[in-house]
Amino acid sequence: MINLIWLLLLAGGIVYAGFTGRIEVITPSVISAAENAVTLAFKLTGVMCLWLGMMKIAERAGLVRVMSIIIGPVIRRIFPSVPPNHPAMGAIVMTVSANMLGLGNAATPLGIKAIQELQKLSRDRDTATPAMCTLLALCTTGVTLVPATVIALRAAAGSVDPAEIVGATLAVSFTAAAAALTVDRIFRAACGGRVR
Amino acid sequence: MLLLIPLAGYLRRVRVYEAFVEGAAEGFQTAVRIMPFLVAMLVAVGVFRASGALEDCVALLKPLLAFIGVPPELVPLAVMRPLSGTGALGLTTELLASEGPDSLIGRTASTILGSTDTTFYILTVYFGAAGIRNPRYAVFVGLTGDITGFFMSIYICKLLFGP
């Protein structure tokens, strides 16, 4: 499926530019996008090192276990295929916590860590497991308690009450997460359920 | 968190510096591993945007969505949100400047930005880091979240802030 989407975006864009007589924009946009991707990866490196380092300390200090006690019961029900004491569970707990606190740049490295831990439980290394799809559903809709970036953006634009959208954001992200998790369950059942 | 974690670690007799460096080393390897995935996805999205295809998709969707009560100003944001985080941020900034942050459109745009995420980016980065080439139905699941978030934002904001 991802193959088709990728091809559609790439080939569709090139053909479309050809038809509308803008074919000359393609080459520069491709080059700059490729450069941006590497810049982005390097920018991510610093943040990733920082938060994965913090994560290691939190793990050794037993902080992950404390978080697990708080939100663990819910997470365990959402990820039935992950053994409760596997490191993947701790990483998932940390990702969801970071998402809830609106720590966008901390959530990404922690989410990556969680996916890598889930990969260790996988038999087919090229294909996403149901647990990985569920994690993705949780991360892309992310139940956000404090949308820090948006509040800052609104304050900068001169809003009278920048934080007034918090209630709406909470309600929406909760519904979106519920919808994504439901669709995830349907697909999981359709794909033959119990495979890890 | 930056203060609390090391402090708690120190109090629990963790060798904080050594633990940090050990964790950080993993971060570097991961960043290198996601690069090819990121290049592939950003190039495809970049071409789609530069060709004008994205803009015309938006133009096509506008009357359709206006028919069911979606403000046309918000359509570009809805299409951009799953594809590009910085693009969506830029569009929201523009909307806040032109419509005002405390207008219904401004509030709805803020809610959309705050409650959804860049699905394709997350998909690329997360699955790239694990070396997964076939994400199966994860794309659909992520997009379901985005679409639900978009329509719910419009509905809830109308309910809360509408006239």
Side-chain angles (χ1 to χ4, degrees), chain A residues 91-182:
Chain A
I92 294 170
V93 165
M94 291 301 281
T95 316
V96 176
S97 321
N99 259 322
M100 285 179 130
L101 296 172
L103 300 170
N105 50 8
T108 308
L110 297 179
I112 288 171
K113 172 93 182 158
I115 287 273
Q116 288 174 335
E117 291 292 344
L118 286 177
Q119 178 73 298
K120 291 178 191 160
L121 290 169
S122 168
R123 287 195 212 106
D124 180 359
R125 305 197 66 82
D126 275 351
T127 310
T129 64
M132 291 177 188
C133 296
T134 311
L135 181 70
L136 200 94
L138 266 189
C139 289
T140 55
T141 49
V143 177
T144 317
L145 297 181
V146 192
T149 316
V150 180
I151 295 176
L153 206 65
R154 292 173 55 76
S159 167
V160 186
D161 184 2
E164 68 180 346
I165 44 96
V166 168
T169 306
L170 191 65
V172 172
S173 65
F174 201 77
T175 331
L181 285 178
T182 309

Side-chain angles (χ1 to χ4, degrees), chain A residues 168, chain B residues 104 107-108 111 152-162:
Chain B
L104 182 58
R107 284 161 167 163
T108 312
T111 307
M152 275 306 283
S153 296
I154 290 171
Y155 177 70
I156 285 185
C157 286
K158 218 175 237 171
L159 212 69
L160 286 178
F161 308 118

Side-chain angles (χ1 to χ4, degrees), chain A residues 41-61:
Chain A
F42 268 115
K43 265 192 200 152
L44 212 58
T45 313
V47 185
M48 209 120 81
C49 289
L50 172 67
W51 285 105
L52 287 179
M54 285 291 160
M55 168 89 178
K56 200 58 135 195
I57 299 177
E59 220 177 83
R60 298 245 166 106

